[in-house]
Amino acid sequence: MSNFAAFGIGLATQTRDAGKVLDTWFPTVGTGGDVGAAVALAEALGYEGGAMTFPLGEATLDGSELAATDPIARVVAGVTAGTVAGTPTGTERFPVATFIEDLEAAPVDAHDVYLRLHLLSHRFLRPHGANLDGAFGLLSNVVWTDHGPCDPEGFEGLRLSLAAAGHRVRVTSVDKFPRMTDYVVPTGVRIGDADRVRLGAHLAVGTTVMHEGFVNFNAGTLGASMVEGRISAGVVVGDGSDIGGSASIMGTLSGGGSEVIRIGEGSLIGANAGVGISLGDGCVVEAGLYVTAGTKVALPDGSVVKAGELSGRDGLLFRRDSQTGAVVVLDREPGSADWGGLNSQLHAND
């Protein structure tokens, strides 16, 4: 049997008629040194390498090498007990075990994608710690409801039949990615509006996402951070940084952007500001200023360069001259905290 880099044991939902996978919830995941407990299960299932998903059932445990006291065996038994043959929403749930041999290889199916998203939100991986190329093409568009995931095809008829049975359906979104908190609730964080954090977001301990904050998949924070603005897909924010109200950070999903933008430690992007370049440690972008790679900025010596040439540099203050309108860059003193820094009481999310 080949070694594997990650595994997950959980429940998948698929349409009863077409067998279209709508989601997979993995309450148990592991990577690296944590995969050892799942080796016996992989051997019992006949795993031979690559990325593979196996349906589980009560027979999975019969005659296998799994001991009754093995924690993986107990999880398998638990998800098997959670099998639902049919639901009022035209779906069925079944237990699965998914194994991934190489996280640097592209995912092969929806189960594979969901496992990688869980690993990110469970903080087993940091953003960009797994290949997510082609993920959109492997996931189904889903109507996310308080009755569970539903297929958009024929949904209005389903809603009518449920209403006739006395079940009013609340639709939270129509998307390929669900909200994170329906699958993973990480410790040590606060989230003002769960609809604004997608599964696959990485929120470090001490992160506070306010009601207007947004964090996309394969993006997030590496330490205590205040998020009142938008952290787009692929963006990584360092410890002690503040993304101000309605601030925006360019991602890599659209618009031709290719740079993975990183915000360093102890930096501030002011309210209604934004960046399309990386910031180093201790940087400030004043409120209302949007800095793209092509923005021409004046340096302290009077020279003018494109902001992209300053990407990732530490200790810079970007501001707009209120009289001339020119964007200027000033050097900040090392360790300067003139923007106040984070309020530690707001990020003690015990």
Side-chain angles (χ1 to χ4, degrees):
M1 183 198 74
S2 299
N3 293 325
F4 49 92
F7 76 95
I9 301 171
L11 284 169
T13 307
Q14 69 179 18
T15 57
R16 194 158 50 236
D17 296 332
K20 180 197 299 184
V21 175
L22 300 182
D23 80 334
T24 308
W25 170 48
F26 290 105
T28 295
V29 296
T31 61
D34 298 303
V35 301
V39 169
L41 175 62
E43 292 177 345
L45 294 170
Y47 171 73
E48 296 181 349
M52 299 181 68
T53 295
F54 299 89
L56 300 176
E58 293 182 4
T60 301
L61 303 179
D62 295 341
S64 76
E65 299 176 14
L66 294 173
T69 57
D70 189 291
I72 297 299
R74 294 199 299 271
V75 172
V76 172
V79 296
T80 301
T83 304
V84 178
T87 70
T89 56
T91 62
E92 57 187 9
R93 292 193 302 168
F94 57 97
V96 296
T98 296
F99 303 92
I100 301 174
E101 182 176 25
D102 183 4
L103 288 166
E104 294 183 2
V108 300
D109 58 21
H111 306 292
D112 188 339
V113 175
Y114 267 94
L115 177 52
R116 295 172 195 234
L117 296 177
H118 278 73
L119 292 170
L120 285 162
S121 291
H122 275 295
R123 301 189 291 235
F124 279 84
L125 301 176
R126 287 188 171 192
H128 308 289
N131 188 338
L132 287 170
D133 292 347
F136 278 91
L138 296 172
L139 298 180
S140 299
N141 209 28
V142 175
V143 181
W144 301 101
T145 79
D146 55 348
H147 289 263
C150 299
D151 190 355
E153 185 71 27
F155 176 74
E156 292 304 336
L158 172 64
R159 173 156 43 193
L160 181 60
S161 64
L162 288 171
H167 304 292
R168 183 173 180 176
V169 180
R170 178 175 177 267
V171 176
T172 57
S173 67
V174 182
D175 196 0
K176 292 193 173 186
F177 289 78
R179 56 189 177 192
M180 180 186 73
T181 54
D182 287 344
Y183 297 79
V184 179
V185 177
T187 58
V189 306
R190 286 194 291 136
I191 301 172
D193 185 348
D195 286 339
R196 299 180 63 83
V197 180
R198 270 175 153 180
L199 181 64
H202 180 286
L203 302 183
V205 172
T207 297
T208 296
V209 183
M210 298 299 286
H211 292 75
E212 294 303 316
F214 173 83
V215 187
N216 214 331
F217 73 96
N218 201 28
T221 61
L222 302 182
S225 299
M226 173 62 78
V227 183
E228 298 180 274
R230 178 182 179 86
I231 299 179
S232 301
V235 173
V236 182
V237 176
D239 182 40
S241 290
D242 187 324
I243 312 303
S246 298
S248 177
I249 308 171
M250 285 187 183
T252 55
L253 286 181
S254 60
S258 58
E259 179 183 356
V260 175
I261 295 181
R262 302 178 183 275
I263 307 302
E265 297 184 0
S267 291
L268 168 68
I269 302 177
N272 296 307
V275 294
I277 64 172
S278 293
L279 299 179
D281 297 340
C283 291
V284 172
V285 179
E286 77 166 6
L289 176 63
Y290 208 115
V291 180
T292 67
T295 301
K296 292 185 177 180
V297 299
L299 301 179
D301 63 3
S303 61
V304 177
V305 301
K306 290 184 178 180
E309 297 181 32
L310 306 176
S311 183
R313 192 173 299 182
D314 295 339
L316 298 181
L317 166 62
F318 293 83
R319 58 179 293 271
R320 188 180 296 280
D321 188 301
S322 60
Q323 294 184 347
T324 67
V327 179
V328 299
V329 175
L330 304 175
D331 290 319
R332 302 179 69 237
E333 292 294 328
S336 172
D338 55 17
W339 66 272
L342 295 181
N343 182 337
S344 60
Q345 295 182 13
L346 296 180
H347 300 276
N349 300 331
D350 298 327

